[in-house]
Amino acid sequence: MSIELSKIYDPSNVEQRWYTQWLADKIFASSPSEKQPYSILMPPPNVTGILHLGHVLNHTIQDLYIRWHRMLGFETCWFPGIDHAGISTQTKVEQALRKDGITKHDLGREKFEQKVWEWKDKYGTIILNQFQKIGNSSDWDRTLFTLDKGASNAVQEVFIRLFDEGLIYRGKRIINWSPVAQSALSDEEVIPQTTTSTFYTLKYHFADGTGTLLVGTVRPETLYGDVAVAVNPNDERYKDIIGKSVIVPMVGVVVPIIADEYVEIDFGTGALKITPAHDINDYEIGIRHNLPINNTINADGTLNELTGEWQGLDRFVARKQIVERLESLGLIEKAEPYEHTIGTSERTGEPIEPFLSDQWFVSMKQLAEPALMVVQNGDIKFYPNHWTKTYEHWLNNIKDWCISRQLWWGHRIPVYYTDNGQYVAANNEAEARKKLQLSDNAPLRQDEDVLDTWFSSWLWPLTTMGWCADGTTEETKDLNYYLPTDLLVTAPEIIFLWVARMIMASLKFKGKIPFKAVYFTAIVRDHHGRKMSKSLGNSPDPLKIFEKYGADATRFTLMYQAPLGQDIRMQVDLESQDLPEIEFGRNFANKLWNTARFLMMKQSELEPKSESSSYSYSLADKWIVSSFHTTAQQVRMLLEQFRITDYSKLLYEFIWQDFCSWYVEIVKIQLNQAQNTSEKHSIMNIALEVFEGSLQLLHPVMPFITEEIWHALDERRTNEHSISTSTPIAPDTQQISQDVEDQFQFIQTIVEQIRTIRSSVGIAPQEKVPVSIVPASNDIASILTNNMQVIKNLAKCTELQIDSTLEKPSGSIAVAVKGSTVYVLVGNSINIDEEIKRQEKEFQRLEQLTNGIEKKLSNERFVEKAPKEVIENERTKLRDMRNSMETITSTIQSLRM
């Protein structure tokens, strides 16, 4: 495909065209082969999901590794899919129905499920289409939905096996309850939030009339569930009242005072009201003391019939009215603000309600032990490693997993009940009757609840590869070839919800780890440090960012700013919902584009190569080749170590600075000096080979523009139809020479010092001045002589004199470079006396500023109270100013000599 590069880079045209071509060429398709496999599991987004910057960061990392290993010759497979997202999907559909005045109960279960499937078919692929805009090179033909028949069969099989082993059981427990969704939530689906409530100290009068016990609570609406008051047996204040009884204020019920070491002596009054149905800790105390359990709150968050006149009131409305009644009865000793943490629903946002309910649980301890071992022994590695401690702590203190949800959308629990209370897990009614030894017409009913969404997600490494897709087949070609996968890229907040459970499931049902490495991504925050979110209005739409800057520019900027283990902070323009920092990536893309156009122009200007002659590499040629191979070597090392930001910075520095700013400028000089067409072809070949090699190294993070430029240079292509399937130039240590790189760095320093002196005295960029150099040795003199034309052109010299016997010329400024002395003759370009005055004035200005900063930094109160970044910024400014003052002193001394 021959492509002509337009004058201005237009990413919208390039990106859509190439993605369509990649799909048509099936470059992303994968199947077991003779190659070494490399695979990644895509964290399945919710079917309700919309693209955000966290997705862009996460998927760019995954895509980077898939593309890199595809280029290295691996059989790469990125397994995509979508999660059915039980609560959030059902909530969305119910909201849509309510607009038409319909509830799910009006439709019934079967018709409601049909409505959800219709919604999924209409909206469910939006997020995957958005992922394609990022540039995801996933094998889309393998896309799995967690409610697909194959995945559902596997989920059912796992439930039945664990049930039969006794690892799934039904029990009455205090669980996290969402009154809005009217469903149980796992601990990991509860988000802790700090809030300020009122802490009420209530009067519990002794039943025998001998006094009053003060008891604190933030939930007076649960008074009707009180069954005891507990004190710590070691609390000297209350030793004599243990065993006595008190009257629950307003309710009038008499309850005992019990002793339990759970009670904190120093918290509140040291006396704790016990409501086992409405607090997990109270529940545990109730079990220990064989107390009754009185549930006083309905599933919808209203108070029930046990609360008398308050029945039917929302829990928070009832709290307010009950407080008013308690105040009127004189039963509140005091009320004061109290900051504490409450649990809120991850999906619906409301405060969760501890709720006593019959639920299904997975016994986790037996599953957790091997999952802990494979991380501790290094079979699975975490990046950054500090998440290992978090993982270990959770698994060592693991609780059983509540897996039942009171929903209609999801995997229905495969448990069947008889009329007399027997139940069994089975694939269908016929199997259930057989297991229960019932007649063929014996009545059965299936459990109404569905499984926690994560119960299907924890099988993701298995279901994506066909495990038990038909309900029985456990060995598949994909499982034998791709498992364990090589990398999982995910957010640290689901290390328990998903990562740990996948490890458990894969070990339990396949005897293999699911992945070899886990990369935990950073959080994308705004410049105030707040996590970007739609609710805060500080999360720009990535698709609009792509439209303005391009996906490549966005990908590169995020990678450049995402050091392993550190969050990303980005400036957000709230008014325009823009991310100006992406300009950085767009500028880099433009630099690539313009460099490619320049090289193509120079190549097209060459006459056909007629004669053959040998070409001796210049120092600059040797340096760029050595530097390229050093870069290629470091790229491999950095990617192996998951140092993605360092990888991005390395390529940015090499391409922008070494290649574009230095070598391309030298190519212009060398082409002008070339003796014949053959030499010009040799010069261009070196430049193009290094540039193409750089495009290959950059392709994983900037796939679209590198593909476009690669094809624009296609007269150099053979049978390679995509850069993504080309083999990167392997690092060649024979081509790496530290001596060459040191020599060229010396030339660079000479040029940079001359430029600095010119700038410091205000010489115009295009004005040329004479320069003289006193070399430190004969070897240095030889290096300078051989590169005289490079120095003259790049440093804008009218003439360049290299002489070891030279004295300091009049009107020159001197600078030492590694033992050699460089004299820049500025006397003919400036008024020396006036320049000395200007420099002295600038020195005085900087001196005043440094005095001010030094005074500020010596102020202990400032150092103690100011943010660290402010202090560091002041120190950096002070350091820079002192360096400038030293330069000015040196300049003045030179001008006076």
Side-chain angles (χ1 to χ4, degrees), residues 68 71 592 617 619-638 647 650-660 663 685-699 710 716 723 726-738 740-741 744:
W68 178 242
M71 294 174 76
L592 287 170
Y617 276 36
L619 175 63
D621 296 333
K622 294 175 184 176
W623 163 74
I624 199 65
V625 170
S626 176
S627 185
F628 169 76
H629 283 280
T630 299
T631 300
Q633 192 177 60
Q634 291 175 335
V635 160
R636 296 182 184 230
M637 176 196 70
L638 293 173
Y647 151 82
L650 174 71
L651 288 179
Y652 180 84
E653 290 298 320
F654 174 75
I655 293 171
W656 190 301
Q657 296 298 330
D658 291 359
F659 187 78
C660 297
Y663 188 67
N685 281 341
I686 296 168
L688 287 166
E689 284 174 9
V690 170
F691 187 59
E692 290 173 359
S694 302
L695 293 176
Q696 289 178 309
L697 298 178
L698 188 63
H699 173 73
W710 179 262
R716 303 170 55 78
I723 190 173
S726 69
T727 303
I729 297 174
D732 183 355
T733 55
Q734 298 299 313
Q735 301 269 25
I736 298 174
S737 171
Q738 189 59 51
V740 164
E741 294 190 31
F744 192 79

Side-chain angles (χ1 to χ4, degrees), residues 96 284-286 342 382 427 449 465 488 538 566 583 594 601 642 674 717 771 813 846 852 869 877:
E284 298 295 339
I285 292 172
I342 63 169
F382 287 173
N427 285 294
D449 292 350
M465 301 182 200
L488 179 73
N538 65 345
Q566 296 181 33
E583 185 79 33
N594 293 333
M601 177 187 72
F642 297 99
R717 300 284 73 76
V771 173
I813 298 176
L846 291 174
E869 57 267 26
K877 285 195 296 185

Side-chain angles (χ1 to χ4, degrees), residues 143-372:
T143 300
L144 180 72
F145 181 51
T146 51
L147 278 177
D148 284 346
K149 183 62 176 174
S152 297
N153 286 339
V155 167
Q156 189 160 285
E157 178 63 21
V158 163
F159 184 97
I160 293 169
R161 289 191 194 183
L162 293 177
F163 178 94
D164 290 345
E165 290 181 40
L167 292 177
I168 283 183
Y169 64 92
R170 186 166 176 81
K172 189 178 285 292
R173 299 284 174 85
I174 289 282
I175 47 91
N176 304 305
W177 184 262
S178 167
V180 172
Q182 293 206 28
S183 177
L185 303 174
S186 68
D187 289 342
E188 292 76 24
E189 292 172 301
V190 176
I191 306 300
Q193 287 192 2
T194 300
T195 188
T196 299
S197 302
T198 302
F199 189 83
Y200 299 96
T201 301
L202 306 181
K203 298 175 182 178
Y204 284 63
H205 298 309
F206 288 111
D208 59 8
T210 58
T212 299
L213 178 64
L214 298 179
V215 180
T217 183
V218 294
R219 300 200 66 192
E221 72 274 15
T222 62
L223 282 171
Y224 286 88
D226 282 13
V227 295
V229 171
V231 296
N232 193 300
N234 300 312
D235 193 335
E236 295 293 335
R237 296 173 296 175
Y238 300 133
K239 279 193 173 183
D240 294 338
I241 64 170
I242 295 171
K244 294 184 73 173
S245 298
V246 290
I247 303 169
V248 178
M250 188 184 72
V251 179
V253 174
V254 176
V255 298
I257 300 172
I258 62 174
D260 196 286
E261 290 189 348
Y262 169 77
V263 181
E264 297 179 35
I265 294 174
D266 298 329
F267 180 75
T269 64
L272 181 70
K273 67 190 283 294
I274 305 301
T275 53
H278 302 299
D279 184 275
I280 182 60
N281 298 306
D282 289 10
Y283 177 80
E284 298 295 339
I285 292 172
I287 295 298
R288 285 197 291 274
H289 294 269
N290 197 29
L291 297 171
I293 300 174
N294 299 333
N295 184 11
T296 63
I297 297 180
N298 294 316
D300 62 358
T302 59
L303 271 60
N304 68 17
E305 69 281 356
L306 294 182
T307 65
E309 63 182 288
W310 317 107
Q311 181 180 357
L313 286 180
D314 176 80
R315 53 189 168 151
F316 298 116
V317 174
R319 177 186 299 179
K320 183 178 179 182
Q321 293 188 15
I322 287 172
V323 166
E324 290 173 353
R325 178 68 59 82
L326 289 167
E327 285 177 332
S328 68
L329 295 173
L331 293 172
I332 298 179
E333 175 71 15
K334 61 179 177 178
E336 52 195 339
Y338 172 54
E339 186 176 280
H340 63 132
T341 300
I342 63 169
T344 59
S345 169
E346 180 186 37
R347 302 297 183 192
T348 52
E350 90 280 17
I352 61 100
E353 184 65 42
F355 197 69
L356 184 66
S357 173
D358 286 319
Q359 301 290 338
W360 288 97
F361 296 85
V362 178
S363 180
M364 299 297 281
K365 188 171 179 57
Q366 182 178 326
L367 297 172
E369 289 172 355
L372 179 60

Side-chain angles (χ1 to χ4, degrees), residues 754-791:
I754 295 171
R755 288 172 173 172
T756 299
I757 290 171
R758 291 167 52 94
S759 175
S760 71
V761 295
I763 295 175
Q766 297 307 315
E767 184 178 351
K768 295 184 178 182
V769 295
V771 173
S772 299
I773 303 176
V774 179
S777 66
N778 291 334
D779 288 342
I780 294 295
S782 178
I783 294 170
L784 291 168
T785 301
N786 291 337
N787 292 277
M788 184 178 290
Q789 201 60 42
V790 169
I791 298 170

